[in-house]
Amino acid sequence: MLKAMPRRPVWLFDLDNTLHNASHQVFGALNVAMSDYIVRHVGVDAAEADRLRALYWRRYGATLLGLVRHHGVEAAHFLRETHGLPDLDTHTHAHDRAALKRLRGRKILLTNAPEAYARRVLALLGLQRCFERVIAFEQMTMFGQLRPKPDARMFRHLLGRLQLRPRDCVLVEDTLIHQKSARGVGMRTVWMQRWLRGASHGPEAHLGLRRRPAYVDRRISRLAALLR
């Protein structure tokens, strides 16, 4: 276990590339769907759509935030159009599912994905009963503005709303920038690397996995490691 782990930790789990292999099919399909959406609703060609999608992710932490800010895109419409994914394919390991069910402490799903997609994935994985609540993109708002991960203001607001102490919380994530922000507000962090190895899509694709940044408490390649 993590050093000085509280007796009853609160686990904040990411979804894509943390609980299942989103790099296998989902991220590639989402990239195509988002670029197609930008072509249709922003009125640019495919190359510019790809550039904007990547630019806004790097700048704001989510492509949608840039589209809302600079192009007047309506968030609910974007999420509905891009996350339908009729051929959604999810993959995880049975021992990861078993470990998650055995893990002591409270478990909350905290994902930048929309709620309908998140609940659909959890159902496909058979994990919908493992979490006491799902906090998705739509719920990460402050003063009427979307503030998804890695916004530190959202983390503080969320902890206050749930009456949680930062030192009792552990963020399990594949995305380093989210962990850096979480550590900045006092949470512990675990970097899930299983689905990053050889990934061609996703925020940490092609990233060197041997290093451990100072803001990461542990690196793991399977959820069973959290039981120790």
Side-chain angles (χ1 to χ4, degrees):
M1 295 295 286
L2 296 176
K3 185 177 180 181
M5 176 62 66
R7 293 183 62 184
R8 185 170 172 77
V10 180
W11 301 94
L12 304 175
F13 279 91
D14 181 46
L15 178 63
D16 292 332
N17 267 7
T18 299
L19 298 184
H20 75 112
N21 186 4
S23 289
H24 170 67
Q25 185 257 2
V26 172
F27 281 152
L30 283 175
N31 286 349
V32 171
M34 290 181 185
S35 291
D36 287 349
Y37 183 97
I38 295 170
V39 168
R40 295 195 312 271
H41 297 282
V42 177
V44 297
D45 62 22
E48 177 64 4
D50 287 341
R51 187 189 74 84
L52 290 176
R53 174 177 52 78
L55 171 66
Y56 293 154
W57 189 92
R58 290 193 303 269
R59 181 177 296 176
Y60 302 114
T63 296
L64 175 55
L65 296 188
L67 295 176
V68 170
R69 177 172 297 187
H70 299 292
H71 306 280
V73 166
E74 199 270 317
H77 185 260
F78 173 87
L79 295 173
R80 185 171 59 252
E81 291 287 308
T82 58
H83 284 74
L85 302 181
D87 299 317
L88 181 62
D89 180 25
T90 62
H91 175 67
T92 191
H93 289 293
H95 55 74
D96 275 344
R97 291 196 298 269
L100 190 63
K101 293 174 182 178
R102 290 172 52 202
L103 187 64
R104 67 181 177 87
R106 299 170 61 186
K107 294 182 280 286
I108 296 170
L109 190 75
L110 183 66
T111 174
N112 276 3
E115 183 175 4
Y117 164 86
R119 292 190 181 278
R120 182 181 171 201
V121 171
L122 287 181
L124 289 171
L125 296 175
L127 294 175
Q128 63 269 47
R129 295 187 178 181
C130 286
F131 298 93
E132 66 176 62
R133 67 173 65 203
V134 172
I135 300 173
F137 192 93
E138 300 96 321
Q139 287 83 52
M140 297 186 203
T141 60
M142 292 179 62
F143 309 112
Q145 293 186 325
L146 291 165
R147 303 281 189 192
K149 297 180 293 185
D151 196 304
R153 294 164 294 183
M154 181 277 297
F155 278 128
R156 293 189 185 96
H157 178 73
L158 175 65
L159 294 173
R161 192 173 80 204
L162 299 179
Q163 298 184 340
L164 299 174
R165 298 180 301 182
R167 65 177 179 270
D168 293 337
C169 299
V170 186
L171 180 67
V172 185
E173 258 283 354
D174 66 297
T175 305
L176 286 177
I177 191 173
H178 298 171
Q179 296 182 355
K180 186 175 183 179
S181 180
R183 169 53 67 82
V185 302
M187 287 191 265
R188 292 170 174 80
T189 55
V190 176
W191 187 14
M192 177 56 159
Q193 298 183 328
R194 175 190 290 278
W195 311 115
L196 301 182
R197 303 177 189 281
S200 58
H201 297 285
E204 309 289 30
H206 310 297
L207 188 70
L209 303 181
R210 293 186 178 181
R211 65 189 181 96
R212 180 176 67 84
Y215 51 83
V216 171
D217 288 296
R218 282 187 66 186
R219 298 178 302 159
I220 63 171
S221 60
R222 54 196 182 98
L223 294 180
L226 299 174
L227 299 173
R228 298 196 299 267

